[in-house]
Amino acid sequence: MTDPIVIERLSKEYGQYVALNDLSLRIEKGVCVGYLGPNGAGKTTTIKILTNLLRATSGRAYLNGEDVINHPKSALDHVGAVVETPEFYPQLTPRECLSYIGTIRGMKSSAVAERTHAVLEQVKLLEVVDNRTRTFSKGMKQRLAIAQALLHEPAVLILDEPTSGLDPRGMVEVRDMIKELKKTDITILMSSHLLNEVQEVCDKVAIIDRGTLLTYDSVQHLSATKGTTVVINTLNPITAAEFRAVKALRGVRALKRIETLTLVAQLDGGTKEQFTVLRGILATGVKVTSFIPRRGAIEDVYLSLIPEGEF
Amino acid sequence: MAPSSARQIGTVVKYELLKYLRGRRLLAIVLLTIIISSIFLIVPPAIGTQYEKDPKEFIGQMLGFLGILSILSATFFGADAIVSEFESKTGFLLFPNPIRKEVIFGGKFIASALVSVGTIALYYAIAITSVRVIDGSIPANTGLSFAYALAYLFAILAISYLFSAIMSSSVYSLILTFFSFFLILPIVDAVGSIAKFKPWFSITFAAGIATYIFDIPYPTDKAFTTTTGPQAASGASQTLSLTQYYPEVQLSLYVMGAYFIVALILSVLLMRRRQM
C-alpha cells in the first residue's frame, strides 16, 4: 500500500539559492511527523510544494499516491492544509468561508453544515460563526484555518506551524486537538519551531537544514538513544549514602549535586525510564519535591545536528 | 471527491458575487451610475434649459460617460482580482484545495463580468428610459451601441486581469488600470489627431464606435484647420492642421476582440505560473 506522503528527490532553487536539495521523505499512514529545522531550512518550501503553492525545480511528491506536481487536483482531494496564517475574505463569515471551501471540495450542503458546526466547535469559534472575519485576531484566523483544514475529514493533514499566533491556552488546545486526531487513521505532517511541542505531540521527527534531510526517526527511538536530563529537587539535603544509592540506580547515567537541595541526573531512555528511576529514588527514602525533565531528547538531537548560529 | 471544474466555477462565481455584495465597490459603482444619470436629468431643468430635442443627441450625450463607467468597473472588479489573492494571503486558503487555478480565474472573471455588464446595462436602461420619456422615441442602433459597449467592457476587463496577474501590489494594479484607460490611451488618441496617425490600435479609440453608431451616416475621417496662440485676435496666430479620426466599426471590433483574447490568455498563463 502506498504511503500517504512520499517525497522523492525534491529540489527547489531560486536562482543560485537552493531551498530544497534532493529531499526524500516517506511518511507512513497514521503517523504524526514533526518537521523541524532552522529558519530557511526548507520546511515551508516543502509544505508549499506539497500543497501546490510552489513548483518544484525537480523531483516528485505524492499525496495518497497521486502526483501533486502534475495532478494537484486529485492529489489534494483528501488533504487538509494550513500554510502560514492564511487570510480570510473579510466580507465573509466563518460559516460562509467553510461553505465556500466545502462546496469546492464537493461536499453536500447538509454535510458542510454538519461539519461546520463540528469543526467550529472544535476550534471554539462557534460563537462567532456569523461574524465577518475582518474583525478576527490572528489567533482566531489560525483557529479558523485549522477548522477549514479539518472540514472534509482529510486522510492527510499538513500543518505549517499550527500554533503560531495562538495564545498559550490556544496552543494547548491545538495540541490536544492534534492528539485527538491521532486516535484516528489520519497522517499528519506538522512543521514547528517548538521542540517541546513536537516531542509532546508527534510520533516521528524529520529534521532538515539547508534543504537536506538530516534525520527521520521516531521520538521514542530518539529518546531512548539520547536519554533525558532531569532536575530533581528534594525536601532535605541528600546524604552521601542516598546519593550513592540514587547514582547506582539502573537507568542513571550520571548524577551531580548542583545545590543543597537540587540534583541533576542524566538518564537513559525516555518517559518509561524516567518513571522507573523516580520510583527507585523514592524507594531509597529520598523525599523528592519535584522531578523535571530539563531538556527533551529532540532538543538534544536538534542541537547536535544544527550548527551553532543558525536560527 | 472534488466536483467538475464547471461546478467549481459556479461556486467561485457565487462567492465572488457575495463578496461584491458585501463590499463597498458594487454599491459605489451603482451610486455613480445613478449620480451620472441624474446629472443629465436634473441639471437642465435646474438651470432653466431644455432637454436636447434630438433623441440621438440626447442619448449620445448621456453615453459620453459610458467610458468612465466601464473603466471604473474594470478597475473595481478586475484590477485586483488576481493580485489580491497573493498579496493578502487569501491564496493560502484557496489554492491548497483540489481546484485548478484556471477554474478560480474563470469564476472570478465571470463574476466581475456579470457585475460590470449589470452596471453598463443599468446605465443604458436609465438612458433609454429617459430618452423615451423626454423625446418619445428610442434612437436607432441603441442595441448595437450596447453590444459595442460590452465589447469594450470585456476587452478592458481582460486587460485589467492581465495587470492584476502581472503586478505585485493591488494598489499598483488599480492605478495602472485606471490611468491607462482614463489618461494614457486617451492622450495617445489625441496625439494621433495632431501627428496625423490614426490610432486604430488603441482600445479607447476603438470604444468610440459605441457612441458614433448613432450618427447616420456613420462618420468618416476629416481634416480641418484651427487657429491657436495667445495673439490669435491680433493676427499673429498659428494655424494648426488637424485630422478628426473616427474608428471603423469592423476594425474596432477586431481590435477589442484581439485585446480580449490575448489579455485573457496571458492572464491565465501568468496566474498559473505565479507562486505564493
Side-chain angles (χ1 to χ4, degrees):
Chain A
M1 192 177 164
T2 317
D3 289 324
I5 302 176
V6 177
I7 296 168
E8 287 178 354
R9 308 198 64 183
L10 205 60
S11 292
K12 176 67 182 174
E13 293 163 13
Y14 297 96
Q16 297 293 311
Y17 178 71
V18 180
L20 281 184
N21 186 11
D22 219 20
L23 181 86
S24 294
L25 182 64
R26 188 176 277 268
I27 297 174
E28 308 84 353
K29 189 178 180 184
V31 173
C32 177
V33 176
Y35 199 39
L36 299 172
N39 289 335
K43 302 188 297 293
T44 300
T45 301
T46 313
I47 284 176
K48 282 183 175 176
I49 291 171
L50 284 174
T51 51
N52 193 33
L53 293 167
L54 274 183
R55 279 190 311 279
T57 307
S58 62
R60 297 236 173 258
Y62 300 90
L63 294 170
N64 297 311
E66 298 282 348
D67 183 342
V68 75
I69 293 162
N70 294 315
H71 306 288
K73 187 173 176 182
S74 51
L76 291 168
D77 210 5
H78 300 288
V79 176
V82 177
V83 187
E84 299 195 359
T85 301
E87 283 295 325
F88 291 84
Y89 301 107
Q91 306 92 335
L92 302 185
T93 65
R95 191 195 299 279
E96 288 159 350
C97 288
L98 296 185
S99 176
Y100 189 7
I101 299 299
T103 315
I104 277 176
R105 286 188 167 277
M107 292 171 72
K108 289 182 179 169
S109 54
S110 57
V112 170
E114 188 187 312
R115 286 293 299 157
T116 294
H117 188 277
V119 292
L120 289 180
E121 190 171 41
Q122 209 171 350
V123 299
K124 298 190 167 46
L125 285 179
L126 211 46
E127 281 182 13
V128 291
V129 62
D130 291 318
N131 292 7
R132 305 259 176 105
T133 59
R134 69 155 58 95
T135 57
F136 281 18
S137 66
K138 192 183 175 194
M140 289 167 85
K141 286 175 187 167
Q142 188 71 3
R143 285 163 186 266
L144 186 53
I146 293 169
Q148 64 81 28
L150 297 173
L151 183 71
H152 56 293
E153 299 179 277
V156 172
L157 187 60
I158 298 173
L159 304 170
D160 185 16
E161 301 193 25
T163 55
S164 165
L166 297 177
D167 56 31
R169 178 176 285 279
M171 290 167 93
V172 171
E173 285 168 359
V174 168
R175 279 178 213 150
D176 289 344
M177 201 188 307
I178 296 169
K179 285 179 194 167
E180 278 298 310
L181 287 169
K182 280 174 62 183
K183 292 175 185 167
T184 64
D185 258 357
I186 195 166
T187 306
I188 303 172
L189 175 64
M190 170 182 131
S191 81
S192 179
H193 275 301
L194 305 174
L195 304 179
N196 290 337
E197 176 177 278
V198 168
Q199 179 143 6
E200 183 187 336
V201 170
C202 299
D203 306 309
K204 295 184 104 173
V205 177
I207 300 179
I208 68 163
D209 189 23
R210 298 169 205 267
T212 304
L213 185 68
L214 301 177
T215 188
Y216 178 53
D217 207 342
S218 70
V219 172
Q220 201 175 7
H221 184 248
L222 288 171
S223 299
T225 311
K226 281 287 171 182
T228 315
T229 303
V230 176
V231 179
I232 306 161
N233 286 301
T234 58
L235 187 64
N236 304 311
I238 193 166
T239 64
E242 286 171 337
F243 186 88
R244 280 196 299 277
V246 172
K247 197 174 181 183
L249 286 170
R250 190 174 171 187
V252 178
R253 284 186 198 171
L255 184 69
K256 192 176 171 185
R257 187 200 301 267
I258 57 168
E259 283 177 35
T260 315
L261 300 175
T262 307
L263 303 168
V264 173
Q266 182 68 39
L267 309 183
D268 288 332
T271 48
K272 280 183 188 168
E273 287 76 8
Q274 288 172 37
F275 171 71
T276 310
V277 169
L278 176 59
R279 201 167 53 180
I281 295 171
L282 295 172
T284 63
V286 174
K287 293 184 172 63
V288 176
T289 57
S290 68
F291 184 89
I292 306 161
R294 194 169 65 179
R295 206 164 70 186
I298 305 240
E299 195 172 1
D300 287 334
V301 173
Y302 184 91
L303 292 176
S304 68
L305 289 172
I306 306 296
E308 202 172 339
E310 290 193 35
F311 301 99
Chain B
M1 190 168 167
S4 66
S5 294
R7 284 190 62 189
Q8 286 182 321
I9 284 183
T11 305
V12 177
V13 171
K14 177 186 166 186
Y15 283 93
E16 286 296 316
L17 291 176
L18 182 60
K19 285 192 277 175
Y20 292 146
L21 283 170
R22 296 268 176 81
R24 291 176 187 161
R25 292 182 186 183
L26 184 57
L27 181 67
I29 198 99
V30 169
L31 283 176
L32 273 171
T33 308
I34 293 167
I35 290 167
I36 291 170
S37 311
S38 304
I39 291 169
F40 280 96
L41 300 175
I42 294 167
V43 171
I47 60 172
T49 58
Q50 288 193 322
Y51 291 117
E52 179 61 58
K53 295 278 187 205
D54 183 353
K56 283 188 303 182
E57 288 295 323
F58 183 88
I59 202 163
Q61 283 176 2
M62 272 197 89
L63 296 181
F65 280 89
L66 195 62
I68 185 69
L69 274 182
S70 303
I71 292 165
L72 285 172
S73 289
T75 307
F76 283 179
F77 305 117
D80 63 349
I82 307 300
V83 62
S84 66
E85 295 287 350
F86 294 87
E87 190 187 16
S88 65
K89 293 186 174 184
T90 46
F92 283 126
L93 174 73
L94 198 55
F95 298 150
N97 286 294
I99 182 168
R100 294 158 64 92
K101 282 184 180 166
E102 297 90 319
V103 170
I104 297 171
F105 183 96
K108 280 175 172 284
F109 190 84
I110 290 169
S112 53
L114 282 174
V115 288
S116 301
V117 169
T119 304
I120 301 304
L122 173 66
Y123 193 60
Y124 265 88
I126 295 171
I128 291 166
T129 309
S130 306
V131 76
R132 180 101 174 97
V133 169
I134 293 163
D135 293 323
S137 65
I138 298 169
N141 293 338
T142 304
L144 271 180
S145 167
F146 182 58
Y148 297 161
L150 292 189
Y152 173 62
L153 175 71
F154 276 91
I156 63 168
L157 196 58
I159 295 169
S160 74
Y161 266 74
L162 178 59
F163 290 153
S164 186
I166 293 170
M167 304 303 284
S168 59
S169 152
S170 294
V171 174
Y172 293 155
S173 185
L174 289 162
I175 290 171
L176 183 62
T177 301
F178 185 76
F179 285 104
S180 293
F181 300 121
F182 189 68
L183 200 64
I184 299 167
L185 284 173
I187 288 171
V188 172
D189 301 346
V191 167
S193 183
I194 300 164
K196 290 192 169 41
F197 73 90
K198 188 171 184 172
W200 57 268
F201 50 85
S202 163
I203 195 159
T204 46
F205 177 75
I209 60 172
T211 45
Y212 292 133
I213 195 67
F214 290 110
D215 294 350
I216 299 170
Y218 191 86
T220 51
D221 302 344
K222 56 185 172 212
F224 61 98
T225 55
T226 183
T227 51
T228 61
Q231 293 106 355
S234 63
S237 61
Q238 283 186 319
T239 302
L240 197 61
S241 177
L242 299 169
T243 306
Q244 174 74 54
Y245 292 112
Y246 293 95
E248 292 160 34
V249 171
Q250 197 173 26
L251 177 63
S252 297
L253 287 173
Y254 286 145
V255 166
M256 290 192 278
Y259 273 108
F260 173 72
I261 291 166
V262 172
L264 213 60
I265 290 170
L266 284 176
S267 320
V268 173
L269 292 176
L270 286 167
M271 187 189 174
R272 275 184 63 179
R273 288 190 57 79
R274 198 160 178 175
Q275 304 180 80
M276 289 293 291

